[in-house]
């Protein structure tokens, strides 16, 4: 939960990182509560978000004043996601507020994401409160697009093909 500091600290520990150094994204149900966690976005940025979300993207936006307090950092930007994944969206919808998310990489293959539900259960079962089996995931990461500056920058080309 984005509103549970202890949960965010636990996630940082799972990523083997300190809170101030961890790269987290915020997972939203839709764009309606974005303004609570980002600075005001212009019409062009909203159009890009609206056209590509939900989808396999992480968009970097300028963070509101709430973000440094939530993550104990002085970062000025935040990654936002609205995945095209019914399980994740239903969790956020029923929780009633955004979730914190971060990629956990397998030590044996740094760029390979764990996608096998049985392997995930075996590795993480003793470290987390719950594991939800949503089936096999995809190994290709999200496309990361930085919209925080004057120019749009694709930080990482992943699964998502950006529509402008």
């Amino acid at each position: 939960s984005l509103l549970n500091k202890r949960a965010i600290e636990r996630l940082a520990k799972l990523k083997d990182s300190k809170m101030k150094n961890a790269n987290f994204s915020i997972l939203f149900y839709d764009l309606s509560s974005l303004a609570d966690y980002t600075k005001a976005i212009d019409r062009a940025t909203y159009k890009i978000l609206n056209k590509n979300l939900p989808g396999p993207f992480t968009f970097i936006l300028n963070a509101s004043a709430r973000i440094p307090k939530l993550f104990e950092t002085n970062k000025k930007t935040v990654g936002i996601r609205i995945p095209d994944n019914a399980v994740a969206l239903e969790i956020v919808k029923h929780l009633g507020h955004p979730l914190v998310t971060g990629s956990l990489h397998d030590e044996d293959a740094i760029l390979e994401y764990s996608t096998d539900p049985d392997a995930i259960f075996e590795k993480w079962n003793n470290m987390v409160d719950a594991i939800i089996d949503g089936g096999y995931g995809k190994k290709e990461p999200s496309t990361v697009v930085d919209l925080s500056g004057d120019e749009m920058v694709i930080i990482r080309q992943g699964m998502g093909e950006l529509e402008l």
Side-chain angles (χ1 to χ4, degrees):
S1 169
L2 179 61
L3 305 181
N4 185 328
K5 189 174 207 94
R6 190 159 172 246
I8 299 171
E9 290 168 350
R10 286 183 64 202
L11 187 57
K13 188 174 179 177
L14 285 172
K15 289 175 65 70
D16 199 24
S17 181
K18 294 189 186 303
M19 280 276 285
K20 65 181 180 179
N21 299 328
N23 285 321
F24 294 121
S25 294
I26 301 175
L27 195 140
F28 293 86
Y29 178 74
D30 59 25
L31 295 174
S32 65
S33 59
L34 200 64
D36 294 336
Y37 304 98
T38 66
K39 289 187 177 175
I41 57 174
D42 60 27
R43 187 172 172 85
T45 300
Y46 182 82
K47 281 184 172 182
I48 292 170
L49 297 175
N50 196 43
K51 198 175 269 193
N52 292 281
L53 295 173
F57 294 95
T58 301
F59 287 101
I60 310 297
L61 300 174
N62 290 309
S64 73
R66 291 180 81 178
I67 295 300
K69 294 172 188 160
L70 290 168
F71 294 107
E72 296 178 1
T73 182
N74 51 3
K75 289 183 182 179
K76 305 279 188 233
T77 60
V78 63
I80 64 114
R81 300 210 54 219
I82 303 174
D84 189 11
N85 180 290
V87 174
L89 292 177
E90 281 301 310
I91 292 170
V92 175
K93 181 180 178 181
H94 287 289
L95 184 61
H97 61 267
L99 288 173
V100 176
T101 184
S103 299
L104 295 173
H105 302 281
D106 191 312
E107 300 98 18
D108 298 330
I110 292 174
L111 295 178
E112 293 280 320
Y113 291 83
S114 296
T115 60
D116 177 340
D118 293 329
I120 292 169
F121 181 83
E122 185 177 315
K123 181 168 185 171
W124 301 103
N125 184 46
N126 294 325
M127 295 182 232
V128 298
D129 295 330
I131 295 175
I132 298 170
D133 184 348
Y136 280 84
K138 296 181 173 89
K139 289 193 179 209
E140 193 172 358
S142 64
T143 295
V144 179
V145 182
D146 189 341
L147 297 174
S148 66
D150 294 333
E151 299 280 323
M152 177 179 67
V153 178
I154 296 178
I155 305 291
R156 175 181 72 201
Q157 182 62 54
M159 227 167 92
E161 292 295 329
L162 195 63
E163 287 186 47
L164 299 175

